[in-house]
Amino acid sequence: MAKRKTVYLCNACQHEESKWLGRCPQCGTWNSFSEEAVANTPKSAPLPGDPRATSGGHSIPLASLEAQADIRIDAGLSEVNQVLGGGIIRGASVLIGGEPGIGKSTLLLQLAAKVKTAGRVLYITGEESAAQIKMRADRLGISRQGLEILVETHVPVISNVLEKIKPVLVIVDSIQTLYNPDAGEVPGTVNQLKYGCHEILSWCKEHETSSFLIAHVTKGGQIAGPKVIEHMVDTVLHFEQAAGDIRILRATKNRFGSVDEVGLFTMDEHGLSEVTNPASIFLIQREGELPPGISVAPIFEGSRALLVELQALTVPAKGGMSRVFSDRIDSGRVSRIAAILEKHTGLKFSEQDLYVNVAGGMRINDPGADLPLALALYSARTGQPLPSGVASAGELSLAGEVRPTTHLRRRVKAANDLGFHQVVVPEPGKIRRIQEALKSIWKT
Ligand code: TYD
Ligand code: MG
C-alpha cells in the first residue's frame, strides 16, 4: 500500500511544513505543529474559487450569459430571512459561528422545522444524541414531516445519506465533529475540517441543496478553523449575545445580500423568539430625572432604526495620562468626539479617563451616533443630566459642525414614536454647530 503523504500544520496560524518543528517560523508559537494527512483529492465537483475549477479555456461574452433566477426559500423565521437578504438561496451555503450555549443548535432546529419547503430537511448532528435532539424538539414544540435527524460524524456515511434522501436543506451541527479516515487519524484537525466541509458543500452545490454549517468560535470570537472554510461558503453569520436574553445574528460575508442587516431574537425556555418590533428593545425604561452621562440615540442597523442608550463617565486620570475605556464604540472615535468638545466648547477632557458603554451591549459604528455620544460625554463631564424625552442624531466634523446623517427623518420618527418629544438634529440656521446643539438642550 502506498504510504500516505503527511504534512505538519501549525495549529495557531496554519503554516505548513514538510517536517515537524518545535517552533513555528511564521508565528513563533512553540509546540504548535501537528501531523496532518494530505487527503486524496476529493472526487466531487470543485466549488467556485477552487483552483481545480477550469473554464476549459473558453471565455463567454457577458451579453450571452443568462442570469440565474434568484430562487429563495422562506426560512420560516423573518429575522433569518432579513439577515440573509430575503431568504435562503437554493444551493447556497451558510456558515454560522457562535460561542457554546449561545443557541446555534436551537436556532437551526427551529429553522429546520419552520423552513417553507416541501422537500426534505436533514439535520446532521455529531454533537448530541437523537434522544437529546428529541428532548429539545419537544421543549420547542417542534415536529415536522420530512425533517430527518442523522446522528453521524463520518463524512463518507453522511455522503451516502445525502445521496439517498436528497434533501433540499442540510444542517451540519457542527463542522468540528466531521471525520473522514482519508483526512488523518485525529478528528477536529484543520485537514478534517477542510475535507469534510468540501465534501458536503460540493454535494450540495451539485444538487442545488442549501446548507447551514454550524461552527465553534475561538475565545476571540473568530470561527475556529482555517479561513479557507469561510472562503468556501457563500455567507458567514455570527450569532452573538447582547444583553441578557437578547441574541443578535449578523452577517460578516454575504454573496447574495448586504452585510448590514441584523436579526434579533430573545431566548427563553421555549427557545428563540423573533423580535418583531426591535426599536425599543435596547432602551432602558427610566422614571424621573436621568443621571448625568446618559443620552439616547436612534441608530440604524441595516434598514431598521433602533433606539439605544449611550452611557459616559469621566473621572480624573491617574498620573495625568488620560485613557479611553470603550468596548462598544471605537475608542478612537470617543477620543475624537472628546477632542471636538474640548476645542469647541472649552470643556476640558484631557487628564480625564473616559468610560463609554452602550446599554444592551450593541456595538455601534453608525456615524449618526456622534452627536449623542458628544451629549453623553458633555453631560458626564459637567454633571448636568439631559432632560428626559430628549434624543439626538448627527455626525460631527472636526471643525465642530453638526452634520446630517443617513435616514435623518426616519430616526426622528422612530424616536418620536417611542415618546422622545425633542430630537436634536442638524437644522439649517438653527443647529449647525456643537455649541448650538448644547444650547438647544441646556439653554446655556
Ligand atoms: P444551544 O442551542 O444548545 O446552544 P449552542 O448550540 O450554540 O451551543 O442552546 C444552549 C442554551 O440555550 C442552553 O444553555 C439552554 C438554553 N435553551 C433555552 O434557554 N431555551 C430553550 O428552549 C433551549 C432549547 C435552550
Ligand atoms: Mg449546539
Side-chain angles (χ1 to χ4, degrees), residues 98-110 123 127-128 135-137 139-140 173 214-216 239 247 267-272:
E99 289 183 6
I102 202 79
K104 302 180 294 299
S105 304
T106 307
L107 178 67
L108 272 307
L109 193 61
Q110 285 183 252
Y123 188 106
E127 302 251 336
E128 285 154 316
M135 259 168 61
R136 173 178 288 136
R139 180 132 62 106
L140 300 171
D173 188 3
I214 297 178
H216 295 173
F239 202 34
R247 303 283 186 278
M267 177 83 138
D268 63 21
E269 68 276 17
H270 305 298
L272 291 155

Side-chain angles (χ1 to χ4, degrees), residues 340 344 395-402 432-436:
I340 293 169
H344 298 285
E395 299 179 23
L396 285 184
S397 76
L398 293 181
E401 300 151 299
V402 184
R432 294 155 301 182
R433 307 182 54 77
I434 181 68
Q435 298 93 318
E436 288 161 344

Side-chain angles (χ1 to χ4, degrees), residues 212-254:
F212 281 85
L213 307 181
I214 297 178
H216 295 173
V217 293
T218 61
K219 272 203 189 113
Q222 297 296 311
I223 288 177
K227 273 276 170 214
V228 65
I229 311 274
E230 293 186 41
H231 301 318
M232 276 184 203
V233 296
D234 298 306
T235 302
V236 179
L237 304 181
H238 287 262
F239 202 34
E240 304 162 349
Q241 179 160 20
D245 301 334
I246 303 170
R247 303 283 186 278
I248 302 177
L249 186 65
R250 58 170 86 242
T252 54
K253 164 180 173 176
N254 192 356

Side-chain angles (χ1 to χ4, degrees), residues 336-371:
R336 174 171 56 85
I337 302 293
I340 293 169
L341 281 170
E342 181 158 325
K343 178 75 184 172
H344 298 285
T345 70
L347 187 65
K348 269 182 88 72
F349 283 90
S350 34
E351 293 170 24
Q352 294 285 316
D353 281 342
L354 310 182
Y355 293 82
V356 169
N357 193 20
V358 180
M362 197 77 182
R363 276 199 306 266
I364 297 183
N365 298 316
D366 183 345
D370 276 357
L371 180 59

